[in-house]
Amino acid sequence: MIEDKNQQRTQLNDLGEFGLIDHLTKNFKINQKSTVKGIGDDAAVLNFENKKVVVTTDLMVEGIHFDLSYMPLKHLGYKAVIVNLSDVYAMNAIATQITVSIAVSNRFPLEALEDLYAGIETAAKIYNIDVVGGDTTSSNTGLLISVTAIGEVEDNKEIYRNGAKPNDLLVVSGDLGAAYMGLQILEREKEVYKVNPNNQPDLEPYSYIIERQLKPEARKDVIKLLSDLEVNPTSMIDISDGLSSEIIHICKQSKVGCDLYEEKIPLDPQVISTCEEFNIDSTTIALNGGEDYELLFTISQEDFPKIKGNPSLSVIGYIKEEKEGVHLVTRAETKIPLKAQGWKNFND
Ligand code: ADP
Ligand code: MG
């Protein structure tokens, strides 16, 4: 639908590898104090002095993680950065640098890569990170993009998945399930488009959930909020695969159990109405949908007054002893064991 709005097509071969790298990276500026040397040498040089450094990588493959028939390349570039920043923030660190590696086939003109890099540049500006390197190579078929993100955190401030304690509260930022429902709408419209390319769908009723799929954000603001409120989470993880599997990660690694309250799970009205339209249960979507990039964390009860009533944060559960197990407490007050189902099995 959206691919190739750009009329001009400059063949990648016309530039050569070095010309291409220069062209794509010429706008990147260095803002971080810790960046000593960015793009242009054999390796970047960073100096974090007495801070701890966190490093994380994600690889995204065309046809597996994204579909260019509805994912504009600018959004793909943005999202490839965001999914990595989310992992940095989930350690309670601040993201400082990324590297970007791409493999492209000659089916992509230069203008397509310009769009991809415009998205990367936008994310770098908004989240204040330096692009300090990468690699560029060719692929026989599709597009691959791999981003590595680096962040800094004061010693002893990093937060792991394994620190949750019985009687802690389970807290989540934002709302859940929207990105998955946005994907359902985009998949449906793709099928409609195949049959009737002239059909102009009205996507306005789905604007929020589509945006959550195509232009997710990482919760840097929540890390700052927690720091400002002087809340010290005992464990933390970001929600990439769905609430259910992330709760199970925290519980397994912390050796605790948990009660998750169905009625407390935050849902946007567009998620509720779209689930009704598709005749699927919104709790199932919130539990298993994935790609929310919200933060899930535990706090001791002492910290509860500091977050109480905050519109960005919802208390959704209660940490228990390991032997109690991990359960969903339904609206009907029955208890169902949580499973790390996930819709996508191998796709992450
Ligand atoms: P090398 O041969 O040592 O791998 P390259 O010619 O691939 O070096 O890269 C030259 C410089 O450009 C390096 O600083 C590298 O990190 C950077 N670079 C290469 N490809 C990309 C890319 N796709 N995005 C950002 N920086 C890149
Ligand atoms: Mg290289």
Side-chain angles (χ1 to χ4, degrees):
M1 282 187 266
I2 309 166
E3 192 181 9
D4 244 1
K5 262 192 259 167
N6 219 324
Q7 295 303 314
Q8 215 176 329
R9 292 181 69 90
T10 310
Q11 291 292 318
L12 291 182
N13 290 341
D14 298 348
L15 279 115
E17 185 189 332
F18 300 127
L20 176 63
I21 294 171
D22 281 347
H23 185 81
L24 293 177
T25 60
K26 64 178 187 288
N27 291 333
F28 291 134
K29 306 217 164 37
I30 297 302
N31 290 311
Q32 289 289 340
K33 199 174 91 200
S34 52
T35 309
V36 179
K37 176 76 188 176
I39 290 170
D41 216 303
D42 297 311
V45 179
L46 310 178
N47 182 353
F48 290 95
E49 295 178 353
N50 50 4
K51 299 261 179 74
K52 269 197 186 140
V53 179
V54 302
V55 182
T56 179
T57 292
D58 258 297
L59 170 64
M60 294 171 79
V61 178
E62 185 179 356
I64 307 281
H65 300 98
F66 56 89
D67 181 335
L68 290 176
S69 58
Y70 49 69
M71 187 78 172
L73 280 158
K74 189 171 176 186
H75 288 70
L76 176 65
Y78 192 87
K79 186 169 178 174
V81 177
I82 293 304
V83 302
N84 280 279
L85 300 189
S86 180
D87 282 320
V88 172
Y89 300 133
M91 299 304 293
N92 199 36
I94 288 300
T96 47
Q97 290 89 9
I98 57 169
T99 64
V100 179
S101 297
I102 53 172
V104 273
S105 71
N106 52 18
R107 131 173 109 84
F108 294 91
L110 174 66
E111 288 74 16
L113 295 187
E114 285 174 349
D115 286 348
L116 183 76
Y117 269 73
I120 293 168
E121 201 184 327
T122 304
K125 263 203 195 114
I126 292 176
Y127 288 86
N128 190 26
I129 45 169
D130 296 344
V131 182
V132 297
D135 202 18
T136 309
T137 186
S138 50
S139 117
N140 285 334
T141 49
L143 175 67
L144 279 84
I145 177 164
S146 176
V147 174
T148 295
I150 296 161
E152 60 181 31
V153 56
E154 267 172 55
D155 203 10
N156 294 323
K157 292 282 185 184
E158 75 271 24
I159 301 176
Y160 297 95
R161 297 174 175 184
N162 67 5
K165 299 278 178 299
N167 302 318
D168 281 356
L169 302 174
L170 183 69
V171 185
V172 71
S173 64
D175 56 72
L176 301 175
Y180 182 83
M181 289 317 292
L183 182 63
Q184 300 316 299
I185 295 294
L186 290 167
E187 297 271 4
R188 183 176 76 182
E189 293 313 321
K190 183 183 172 184
E191 293 309 311
V192 172
Y193 178 84
K194 275 189 200 157
V195 179
N196 180 4
N198 296 319
N199 182 52
Q200 282 293 329
D202 177 17
L203 296 178
E204 179 53 33
Y206 311 108
S207 55
Y208 175 68
I209 60 175
I210 290 174
E211 175 151 339
R212 291 279 283 175
Q213 171 60 223
L214 293 184
K215 192 172 174 290
E217 301 293 349
R219 298 309 304 258
K220 182 182 185 181
D221 59 324
V222 171
I223 295 306
K224 176 160 193 314
L225 176 68
L226 293 174
S227 160
D228 290 348
L229 295 173
E230 295 179 16
V231 172
N232 294 306
T234 51
S235 68
M236 188 150 61
I237 189 169
D238 74 318
I239 303 186
S240 50
D241 298 338
L243 178 63
S244 189
S245 81
E246 315 305 1
I247 290 177
I248 289 168
H249 282 311
I250 284 187
C251 287
K252 272 209 177 124
Q253 296 203 24
S254 300
K255 300 191 169 59
V256 293
C258 179
D259 276 350
L260 167 68
Y261 293 94
E262 181 179 24
E263 61 175 5
K264 304 284 190 197
I265 297 174
L267 299 172
D268 185 84
Q270 274 188 18
V271 170
I272 296 171
S273 59
T274 312
C275 282
E276 279 169 7
E277 189 185 334
F278 279 72
N279 200 17
I280 38 182
D281 177 37
S282 54
T283 300
T284 309
I285 297 309
L287 288 176
N288 303 308
E291 296 199 293
D292 294 309
Y293 303 109
E294 295 295 342
L295 292 172
L296 177 72
F297 55 93
T298 52
I299 60 170
S300 71
Q301 292 200 24
E302 262 165 52
D303 274 346
F304 175 63
K306 301 176 191 165
I307 67 153
K308 196 179 165 198
N310 193 297
S312 303
L313 303 174
S314 309
V315 176
I316 57 171
Y318 188 70
I319 301 298
K320 309 191 85 168
E321 297 288 344
E322 186 174 28
K323 63 177 188 303
E324 309 261 4
V326 184
H327 292 95
L328 176 71
V329 182
T330 68
R331 288 194 186 83
E333 285 180 26
T334 53
K335 277 190 158 193
I336 303 172
L338 270 191
K339 286 195 211 89
Q341 208 180 357
W343 293 98
K344 298 177 297 172
N345 293 327
F346 248 110
N347 294 2
D348 300 295

